[in-house]
Structures are given as C-alpha cells and as structure tokens.
Amino acid sequence: MGPLLALEWATIGFGAAGGLRLALKPPFRRDLAALPALGVALALAGLVVGALAVTVFVWQPWTLHVAAALVILAGAFLWWRGRPSYGRVWGWPPGSLGIGASLDAIDDKWFYRDQAAQFGPVFKMSQFGRPVLCVVGLARGRALLQEHRDALEGAALPYNRFASKGLLRYMPSADHQAEAPLFRRAFSETALAEREPALRAACRAGLDGLAQRSATHRDGIDIRPFLSQWAVEGLTGMFLGIDADDERSRRMGQLVQQLEVDRSGGLGWSARMERSLSAATQLLRDLAARESSQEPAHLLGALVRAAPETLQDEGRLRNLVLFLRLGSGDLAGTLTWLAYQLSANAPWQDAVQRAGRTAGAPQGVQPSDLGTRVVLETLRLEQSEYLYRRVVKPFTYEGFHVPAGWILRICVQESHRDPGIFPDPSTFNPDRFLGRTLSKSEYATFGLDGHGCMGASMVHFFGRIFVEELCHAYTIRTVRDAPPEHGTRHRHHWRPGRRWTVALDRRPT
Ligand code: HEM
C-alpha cells in the first residue's frame, strides 16, 4: 500500500472514530440504554454500512480518494464552525456551535455559568445542530423578552401537537390572550386552604410509612415514589375535586403517568399519547357531568362554570390534562430537591421544627414564613433552570445580530447565582428572603413575561406543607449520596442522582 493510500485509510478511520465518539456520548448512550432494540439495530446498521464502504473502497479505489477528501472537508468545516468567534462577521455573539460541546452541555451542570464567565452574559451554543442564544441575567432577559416580543414565540416541545391550539405556554399571543385569562381566573378560584387538612394527613401518612421502612433499611430508602404519588394525588384533588381514595383519582393518575412528555416521537408514541389524552378528557367530561357539589372549588369546576363550552373544547380539556402531567412532574421534582437540600442542611430542619406549622393558602408572591422560604431558596438553587423561546424574526440585541430560526435560552438558574443579588450564592440560606421581596428582574422561578406560571401558589403550598410535616416529626439525612443527574435533552431537568437514598428518623416526642 502506497503512503497516499495509507493516509487516506487513516483519514477515514479517524473520521469514523470521531463519529463514533460523538455517537457514544453519554446522552446518546442513555437514550440507547432505554431503547436497547434500537441500539442493536443501529450497531448492526453501522457494521453493515462500514463493511460495504470498505468493500467499495477496495473494489474501486477512486471512491477512497473521494471519501477521504469528504472527511477532511467535513472535519475542517466542523472545526471552523465550532470556533467561538464563528459568525463574528455577521454580528453573532461569541461561543462555540461545536457538536461535542453541545452534547457535553447536557451533562455539565455548570456549562452555562462557565460559558458566561468565558464569553460574557450573552453567548451562543448549539443544541442538536440549532444555534441557541444564551442570556444570563434576569433584568437582561426580561428586557429582551419585552423589547423583542414580536420576534419571539414559544419553543414548543413535541407534545404540543396533541392540543388543537397547542399548550397554553406555547400558544401564539392571539390565542394566549383569548385562553389565558380564563385559566388564570380558574386557578385563582381553586380552593387551596380547604384542602390543607387532607393534604397534610396524606403527607403525614406517607412519611410515617417511609419512617417505618427506613428503620429496617440500612442502605436508606428512596423518598421519590412517595413524593410523586403525593404530588399527583394532591393536584388531582385540586384540579378535579376528587379524593385520593376515589377510583377516578387512581384512574386519572394512571392516565397522566402514561403521557410520555419527554419523548419526541418514535413508533407508537403518537398513538399512545392520543389514547391516554382521549381517555383522560373523557374522564373529565364524566366528572363534570356527575359533579353535584363544587365545594371545595376545583379547577375543572371553575373552568366549566366560567365557560360551559369547555366540555366540548377538546383542546382546552387536553391543556388541563397536560397541566396536570407537567405540573405534577415539576412539583415532584421540586419536592425531591426540598428533601435533598434539607438532608444536606440539617440545622434548617430544626429551625423549621422550632418555627411550628402555619396554615392557609399562600399570601403574596413570596410568602415570608420559614417553610416557604425553604421552598423559595430550593427553587433558586435547583428546580428553576431556564426559559426557552423560538426566534421567528431576526433582531439585534446588545449589539449582536440574532437570526430567525435560532432558539433563545434565558439561563434562570445561573442568574439566580448572581452574588450582587444573592451574597454567597451557593449557600443554602432561606433567610436571604427574610424581610425582602425580590423583583422579577432579581428572582424569577416562575417566568418573566405574560406566560408566567399559574401553579406558583400551588407549588408554594405543597412545598410548605411537605417541609413543615417532614421537619415537625422527623429528621432526614442522606445515607447514600449520588451526583445529580440529567435527562438526555438540554431541556430536561437536573435531579438528585438515582442512587441517592435517605434515612427518616422520628424526632423524640
Ligand atoms: C402545581 C404545579 C404547576 C402547575 C399547575 C403549573 C402550571 C403552569 C401553567 C398553566 C403555565 C403556563 C402559563 C401561561 O402560558 O400563561 C406555567 C408556566 C410556567 N411554569 Fe408552571 N406549573 C406548576 C409547577 C411549576 C414548577 C414547580 C415550576 C418551577 C420550578 C414552574 C415553572 C414555570 C415557568 C418558568 C413557566 C413559564 C414558562 C415560560 O415562560 O416559558 N411551574 N406553569
């Protein structure tokens, strides 16, 4: 073999190894681990294509010259495009659009913070090939959302297609203006305080069961199944006015859990989503038809009272079901981080216990009792991570040109670690909210514009009840720690590692 041919084979090998390295990055590996049949099919397809290519290269050596040239060109293009200064001539912000960096961002909790430290608070990156404008700083992000409202739309996730006008949070502004006030009013009419005794009783019963199990499990126990169940059952009560021991609550819980909102397609996915959503909206209609009492007021009842045509509006009912799915997932995530933060910060457990229980629906946007301050601080450090929008018209922002087709990510969690607003920002300190109400430009766990979270009070309410019930009668400590984990997409949330376990000990009475 001549030196040129050897060089060409080496180039092809180098290109194939680079491709394989990308294909085996942790997010893809986790996707494939969840779908082993697809993994085997892709591996076989890769082997067949590789063997065919080698056969063709040997049989027709000129194809090897072409393939090697293409590998060199592709490599050079990717390197050139991945340079942080790429796009400067068009006024684009700094930051790498490289594929490797993009995939690394999924598993690097500090990726956006570190990029901002390197390139400044406005930088670019890429998510699965699409350029993303990243902005750190809530005042900056808020100004951007206001100034360029017409150039931005909701960055809808694939499940959005299952509701006729889409999901409220992704609706174009005309539809949002028509639908949002109805939902906002129904949320505000939903009774929270009246459900408090039942919610607290269910929480106590669940914690009691966990403490009993904990006593016999030296390796600790997983608190998450209880938190998910409590979140789904509690929210189902508020949304539909049915108790956890009602068969229809169990059925709704099943249907909601079946909604695979983290997936973006695949064989059978649409059919399964359609089936579960149709069954869930039928259940809503049955419930609305049979409901005799509206007390305590629930979300479905409030919606139907204000707009009786809701029962014929499949898209609106599907919104309700999807709020239940997404809301219970986000709520369970928040409760898990609360348990995690309290385990890591034992003195705050004692402080909550000393402060005693409170009662009633949350008052104001940042209630000041200690239980809620623990929730506010946990949201600051953990569950609140980002806002996404789609750029539909080009615009210029802080001197940078942003083309249509890009995505906007406002980096909420990184903004919540600004030492100018939160001194010693990595320390868990619920008292930083004492005697201080922060503006949306400083603290924005629930959104920055007209698409703000309608479940914020519910999150504060459930969070406070959990914190108080936990700390009042128990202490919680980590038995086996595990580094935080992330899903396989940039828009998934961070959560405590799967192997994290706790011990729950009853406080002496
Ligand atoms: C009780 C559970 C929850 C319910 C029922 C709920 C409900 C909603 C609804 C209906 C919207 C859309 C508002 C609109 O388009 O006008 C929304 C948006 C939002 N929610 Fe929630 N949510 C819940 C939990 C959470 C949690 C735990 C977080 C944060 C940690 C959160 C953060 C947000 C944010 C940031 C938005 C705005 C999204 C955007 O602007 O793109 N939500 N929520």
Side-chain angles (χ1 to χ4, degrees), residues 23-82:
L24 291 179
K25 287 257 181 194
F28 289 140
R29 279 213 306 268
R30 289 201 298 277
D31 264 353
L32 291 180
L35 301 165
L38 180 66
V40 173
L42 286 176
L44 284 177
L47 283 177
V48 171
V49 170
L52 274 176
V54 170
T55 313
V56 172
F57 295 156
V58 173
W59 177 48
Q60 296 284 340
W62 66 268
T63 56
L64 183 64
H65 309 325
V66 175
L70 287 177
V71 168
I72 291 172
L73 280 177
F77 173 72
L78 290 177
W79 169 81
W80 180 63
R81 193 171 179 271

Coordinates of all heavy atoms in Angstrom, one line a residue, residues 23-82:
A23 N -21.3 9.6 18.7 CA -22.5 8.7 18.9 C -22.5 8.1 20.2 O -23.6 7.6 20.7 CB -22.5 7.7 17.8
L24 N -21.3 8.0 20.9 CA -21.3 7.3 22.2 C -21.2 8.2 23.3 O -20.9 7.8 24.5 CB -20.1 6.3 22.2 CG -20.3 5.1 21.3 CD1 -19.0 4.2 21.4 CD2 -21.5 4.3 21.6
K25 N -21.5 9.5 23.1 CA -21.5 10.5 24.2 C -22.6 10.1 25.2 O -23.6 9.5 24.7 CB -21.8 11.9 23.7 CG -20.6 12.5 22.9 CD -19.9 13.5 23.8 CE -18.7 14.1 23.1 NZ -17.8 14.8 24.0
P26 N -22.5 10.4 26.5 CA -23.4 9.9 27.5 C -24.9 10.1 27.1 O -25.7 9.2 27.3 CB -23.0 10.6 28.7 CG -21.6 10.9 28.6 CD -21.4 11.1 27.1
P27 N -25.3 11.3 26.6 CA -26.8 11.4 26.3 C -27.3 10.4 25.4 O -28.4 9.8 25.6 CB -26.9 12.8 25.7 CG -25.7 13.5 26.1 CD -24.6 12.5 26.3
F28 N -26.5 10.1 24.3 CA -27.0 9.1 23.3 C -26.9 7.7 24.0 O -27.8 6.8 23.7 CB -26.1 9.1 22.1 CG -26.3 10.3 21.2 CD1 -25.2 11.0 20.6 CD2 -27.6 10.8 21.0 CE1 -25.4 12.1 19.8 CE2 -27.8 12.0 20.2 CZ -26.7 12.6 19.6
R29 N -25.9 7.5 24.8 CA -25.8 6.1 25.4 C -27.0 5.9 26.3 O -27.6 4.8 26.3 CB -24.5 6.1 26.3 CG -23.2 5.8 25.5 CD -22.3 5.0 26.3 NE -21.9 5.6 27.6 CZ -20.9 6.4 27.8 NH1 -20.1 6.7 26.8 NH2 -20.7 6.9 29.0
R30 N -27.4 7.0 27.0 CA -28.6 6.8 27.9 C -29.9 6.5 27.1 O -30.7 5.7 27.5 CB -28.7 8.0 28.8 CG -27.7 8.1 29.9 CD -28.1 8.9 31.1 NE -28.4 10.3 30.7 CZ -27.4 11.2 30.6 NH1 -26.2 10.9 30.8 NH2 -27.8 12.4 30.3
D31 N -30.0 7.3 26.0 CA -31.2 7.1 25.1 C -31.2 5.6 24.6 O -32.2 5.0 24.6 CB -31.1 8.0 23.8 CG -31.8 9.3 24.0 OD1 -32.6 9.4 25.0 OD2 -31.7 10.2 23.2
L32 N -30.0 5.1 24.2 CA -30.0 3.8 23.7 C -30.2 2.7 24.8 O -30.8 1.7 24.5 CB -28.6 3.5 23.0 CG -28.5 4.3 21.7 CD1 -27.2 4.0 21.0 CD2 -29.6 4.0 20.7
A33 N -29.7 3.0 26.0 CA -30.0 2.1 27.1 C -31.5 1.9 27.3 O -31.9 0.9 27.7 CB -29.2 2.6 28.3
A34 N -32.2 3.0 27.1 CA -33.7 3.0 27.3 C -34.3 2.2 26.2 O -35.5 1.7 26.3 CB -34.2 4.4 27.4
L35 N -33.7 2.2 25.0 CA -34.3 1.5 23.8 C -33.3 0.5 23.3 O -32.7 0.7 22.2 CB -34.6 2.5 22.7 CG -35.6 3.6 23.1 CD1 -35.6 4.8 22.1 CD2 -37.0 3.0 23.2
P36 N -33.0 -0.6 24.0 CA -31.9 -1.5 23.6 C -32.1 -2.1 22.2 O -31.1 -2.2 21.5 CB -32.0 -2.6 24.6 CG -33.1 -2.4 25.5 CD -33.7 -1.0 25.2
A37 N -33.4 -2.3 21.7 CA -33.6 -2.9 20.4 C -33.1 -1.9 19.3 O -32.4 -2.3 18.4 CB -35.0 -3.1 20.2
L38 N -33.3 -0.6 19.6 CA -32.8 0.4 18.6 C -31.3 0.5 18.6 O -30.7 0.6 17.6 CB -33.4 1.8 19.0 CG -33.0 3.0 18.1 CD1 -33.6 2.8 16.7 CD2 -33.4 4.3 18.7
G39 N -30.7 0.3 19.8 CA -29.2 0.3 19.9 C -28.7 -0.8 19.1 O -27.7 -0.6 18.3
V40 N -29.3 -2.0 19.2 CA -28.7 -3.2 18.5 C -28.9 -2.9 17.0 O -28.0 -3.2 16.2 CB -29.5 -4.5 18.9 CG1 -29.1 -5.7 18.0 CG2 -29.2 -4.8 20.3
A41 N -30.1 -2.4 16.6 CA -30.4 -2.2 15.1 C -29.4 -1.1 14.6 O -28.8 -1.3 13.5 CB -31.8 -1.6 14.9
L42 N -29.1 -0.1 15.3 CA -28.1 0.9 14.9 C -26.7 0.4 14.8 O -26.0 0.6 13.8 CB -28.1 2.2 15.8 CG -29.4 3.1 15.7 CD1 -29.3 4.2 16.7 CD2 -29.5 3.7 14.3
A43 N -26.3 -0.5 15.8 CA -25.0 -1.1 15.7 C -24.9 -1.9 14.5 O -23.8 -1.9 13.8 CB -24.8 -1.8 17.0
L44 N -25.9 -2.8 14.3 CA -25.9 -3.7 13.1 C -25.8 -2.8 11.8 O -25.0 -3.1 10.9 CB -27.1 -4.6 13.1 CG -27.0 -5.7 14.1 CD1 -28.3 -6.5 14.0 CD2 -25.9 -6.6 13.8
A45 N -26.6 -1.8 11.7 CA -26.6 -0.9 10.5 C -25.2 -0.3 10.3 O -24.7 -0.3 9.2 CB -27.7 0.1 10.6
G46 N -24.6 0.1 11.4 CA -23.3 0.7 11.3 C -22.3 -0.3 10.8 O -21.5 0.1 9.9
L47 N -22.4 -1.5 11.3 CA -21.4 -2.6 10.8 C -21.6 -2.8 9.4 O -20.6 -3.0 8.6 CB -21.6 -3.8 11.6 CG -21.0 -3.8 13.1 CD1 -21.4 -5.1 13.8 CD2 -19.5 -3.6 13.0
V48 N -22.9 -2.9 8.9 CA -23.2 -3.3 7.5 C -22.7 -2.1 6.6 O -22.0 -2.4 5.6 CB -24.7 -3.5 7.3 CG1 -25.0 -3.6 5.8 CG2 -25.1 -4.7 8.0
V49 N -23.0 -0.9 7.0 CA -22.5 0.3 6.2 C -21.0 0.3 6.2 O -20.4 0.5 5.1 CB -23.1 1.6 6.8 CG1 -22.4 2.8 6.1 CG2 -24.6 1.7 6.6
G50 N -20.3 0.1 7.3 CA -18.9 0.1 7.4 C -18.3 -1.0 6.5 O -17.4 -0.7 5.7
A51 N -18.9 -2.2 6.5 CA -18.3 -3.3 5.7 C -18.5 -3.0 4.2 O -17.6 -3.2 3.4 CB -19.0 -4.6 6.1
L52 N -19.7 -2.5 3.9 CA -20.0 -2.1 2.5 C -19.0 -1.1 2.0 O -18.4 -1.2 0.9 CB -21.4 -1.6 2.4 CG -22.5 -2.6 2.2 CD1 -23.9 -1.9 2.1 CD2 -22.3 -3.3 0.8
A53 N -18.8 0.0 2.9 CA -17.9 1.0 2.5 C -16.5 0.5 2.2 O -15.8 0.8 1.2 CB -17.8 2.1 3.5
V54 N -16.0 -0.4 3.1 CA -14.6 -1.0 2.9 C -14.6 -1.7 1.6 O -13.6 -1.6 0.8 CB -14.3 -1.9 4.2 CG1 -13.0 -2.6 3.9 CG2 -14.1 -1.0 5.4
T55 N -15.6 -2.5 1.4 CA -15.7 -3.3 0.1 C -15.6 -2.4 -1.1 O -14.8 -2.7 -2.0 CB -17.0 -4.2 0.1 OG1 -17.2 -4.8 1.3 CG2 -16.9 -5.2 -1.0
V56 N -16.4 -1.4 -1.1 CA -16.4 -0.4 -2.2 C -15.0 0.2 -2.4 O -14.5 0.4 -3.5 CB -17.5 0.6 -2.1 CG1 -17.4 1.7 -3.2 CG2 -18.9 -0.1 -2.1
F57 N -14.4 0.7 -1.2 CA -13.1 1.3 -1.3 C -12.0 0.4 -1.9 O -11.2 0.8 -2.7 CB -12.6 1.8 0.1 CG -13.5 2.8 0.7 CD1 -13.5 3.0 2.1 CD2 -14.3 3.7 0.0 CE1 -14.3 3.9 2.7 CE2 -15.1 4.6 0.6 CZ -15.1 4.7 1.9
V58 N -12.1 -0.9 -1.6 CA -11.1 -1.8 -2.1 C -11.4 -2.1 -3.6 O -10.4 -2.2 -4.4 CB -11.1 -3.2 -1.3 CG1 -10.2 -4.2 -1.9 CG2 -10.7 -2.9 0.2
W59 N -12.6 -2.2 -3.9 CA -13.0 -2.6 -5.3 C -12.8 -1.4 -6.2 O -12.3 -1.6 -7.3 CB -14.5 -3.0 -5.2 CG -15.1 -3.4 -6.5 CD1 -14.6 -4.2 -7.5 CD2 -16.4 -2.9 -7.0 NE1 -15.5 -4.3 -8.5 CE2 -16.6 -3.5 -8.3 CE3 -17.4 -2.1 -6.4 CZ2 -17.8 -3.3 -9.0 CZ3 -18.5 -1.9 -7.2 CH2 -18.7 -2.5 -8.4
Q60 N -13.1 -0.2 -5.8 CA -13.0 1.0 -6.6 C -12.2 2.0 -5.9 O -12.7 2.9 -5.2 CB -14.4 1.6 -6.9 CG -15.3 0.7 -7.7 CD -14.9 0.7 -9.2 OE1 -14.3 1.6 -9.7 NE2 -15.4 -0.3 -9.9
P61 N -10.8 1.9 -5.9 CA -10.0 2.8 -5.1 C -10.3 4.3 -5.2 O -10.1 5.1 -4.3 CB -8.6 2.4 -5.5 CG -8.7 1.1 -6.1 CD -10.0 1.0 -6.7
W62 N -10.8 4.7 -6.4 CA -11.1 6.2 -6.5 C -12.1 6.6 -5.5 O -12.1 7.8 -5.0 CB -11.5 6.5 -7.9 CG -12.9 5.9 -8.3 CD1 -13.1 4.7 -8.9 CD2 -14.2 6.5 -8.1 NE1 -14.5 4.5 -9.1 CE2 -15.1 5.6 -8.6 CE3 -14.6 7.7 -7.5 CZ2 -16.5 5.8 -8.5 CZ3 -16.0 7.9 -7.4 CH2 -16.9 7.0 -7.9
T63 N -13.0 5.7 -5.1 CA -14.0 6.1 -4.1 C -13.4 6.5 -2.7 O -13.8 7.3 -1.9 CB -15.1 5.0 -3.8 OG1 -14.4 3.8 -3.5 CG2 -15.9 4.8 -5.1
L64 N -12.2 5.8 -2.5 CA -11.5 6.0 -1.2 C -10.9 7.5 -1.2 O -11.0 8.2 -0.2 CB -10.3 5.0 -1.1 CG -9.5 5.1 0.2 CD1 -10.4 4.8 1.4 CD2 -8.3 4.2 0.1
H65 N -10.4 7.9 -2.4 CA -9.9 9.3 -2.5 C -11.0 10.3 -2.2 O -10.9 11.2 -1.5 CB -9.4 9.6 -4.0 CG -8.4 8.6 -4.5 ND1 -7.5 7.9 -3.7 CD2 -8.2 8.1 -5.7 CE1 -6.8 7.1 -4.4 NE2 -7.2 7.1 -5.7
V66 N -12.2 10.0 -2.8 CA -13.3 10.9 -2.6 C -13.8 11.0 -1.2 O -13.9 12.0 -0.6 CB -14.5 10.5 -3.5 CG1 -15.7 11.4 -3.3 CG2 -14.2 10.6 -5.0
A67 N -13.9 9.7 -0.6 CA -14.4 9.7 0.8 C -13.4 10.4 1.7 O -13.8 11.1 2.6 CB -14.5 8.2 1.2
A68 N -12.1 10.2 1.5 CA -11.1 10.8 2.4 C -11.1 12.3 2.3 O -11.1 13.0 3.3 CB -9.7 10.3 2.0
A69 N -11.3 12.8 1.0 CA -11.4 14.2 0.8 C -12.7 14.8 1.5 O -12.6 15.8 2.2 CB -11.5 14.5 -0.7
L70 N -13.8 14.0 1.5 CA -15.0 14.5 2.1 C -14.8 14.5 3.7 O -15.3 15.5 4.3 CB -16.2 13.5 1.8 CG -16.7 13.7 0.4 CD1 -17.8 12.7 0.1 CD2 -17.3 15.1 0.1
V71 N -14.1 13.5 4.2 CA -13.9 13.5 5.6 C -13.1 14.7 6.0 O -13.4 15.4 7.0 CB -13.2 12.2 6.1 CG1 -12.7 12.3 7.5 CG2 -14.1 11.0 6.0
I72 N -12.1 15.0 5.2 CA -11.2 16.2 5.6 C -12.1 17.5 5.5 O -12.0 18.3 6.4 CB -10.0 16.3 4.6 CG1 -9.1 15.1 4.9 CG2 -9.3 17.6 4.7 CD1 -7.9 15.0 3.9
L73 N -12.9 17.6 4.4 CA -13.7 18.8 4.3 C -14.7 18.9 5.4 O -14.8 20.0 6.0 CB -14.5 18.7 3.0 CG -13.7 19.1 1.7 CD1 -14.6 19.0 0.5 CD2 -13.2 20.6 1.8
A74 N -15.3 17.8 5.8 CA -16.3 17.8 6.9 C -15.7 18.2 8.2 O -16.2 19.1 8.9 CB -17.1 16.5 7.0
G75 N -14.5 17.6 8.4 CA -13.8 17.9 9.7 C -13.4 19.4 9.7 O -13.6 20.0 10.8
A76 N -12.9 19.9 8.6 CA -12.5 21.3 8.6 C -13.7 22.2 8.8 O -13.6 23.2 9.5 CB -11.8 21.6 7.2
F77 N -14.8 21.9 8.2 CA -16.0 22.7 8.3 C -16.5 22.7 9.8 O -16.7 23.8 10.4 CB -17.1 22.2 7.4 CG -18.4 22.9 7.7 CD1 -18.6 24.2 7.3 CD2 -19.5 22.3 8.3 CE1 -19.8 24.9 7.5 CE2 -20.7 22.9 8.6 CZ -20.8 24.2 8.2
L78 N -16.5 21.5 10.4 CA -17.0 21.4 11.8 C -16.0 22.2 12.7 O -16.5 22.9 13.7 CB -17.1 20.0 12.2 CG -18.2 19.2 11.6 CD1 -18.3 17.8 12.0 CD2 -19.6 19.9 11.9
W79 N -14.7 22.1 12.5 CA -13.8 22.8 13.3 C -14.0 24.3 13.2 O -14.0 25.1 14.1 CB -12.3 22.4 12.9 CG -11.3 23.3 13.5 CD1 -10.8 23.3 14.8 CD2 -10.7 24.5 12.9 NE1 -9.9 24.3 15.0 CE2 -9.9 25.1 13.9 CE3 -10.8 25.1 11.7 CZ2 -9.2 26.2 13.7 CZ3 -10.1 26.3 11.4 CH2 -9.3 26.8 12.4
W80 N -14.1 24.7 11.9 CA -14.3 26.2 11.6 C -15.5 26.7 12.2 O -15.6 27.8 12.9 CB -14.3 26.3 10.1 CG -14.4 27.7 9.5 CD1 -13.6 28.7 9.7 CD2 -15.5 28.2 8.7 NE1 -14.0 29.8 9.0 CE2 -15.2 29.5 8.5 CE3 -16.7 27.6 8.2 CZ2 -16.1 30.3 7.7 CZ3 -17.5 28.4 7.5 CH2 -17.2 29.7 7.2
R81 N -16.6 25.9 12.1 CA -17.9 26.4 12.7 C -17.9 26.3 14.2 O -18.7 27.0 14.9 CB -19.0 25.5 12.1 CG -20.4 26.0 12.3 CD -21.4 25.2 11.6 NE -22.8 25.7 11.8 CZ -23.5 25.3 12.8 NH1 -23.1 24.3 13.6 NH2 -24.8 25.7 12.9
G82 N -17.1 25.4 14.7 CA -17.1 25.3 16.2 C -16.2 26.3 16.9 O -16.2 26.4 18.1

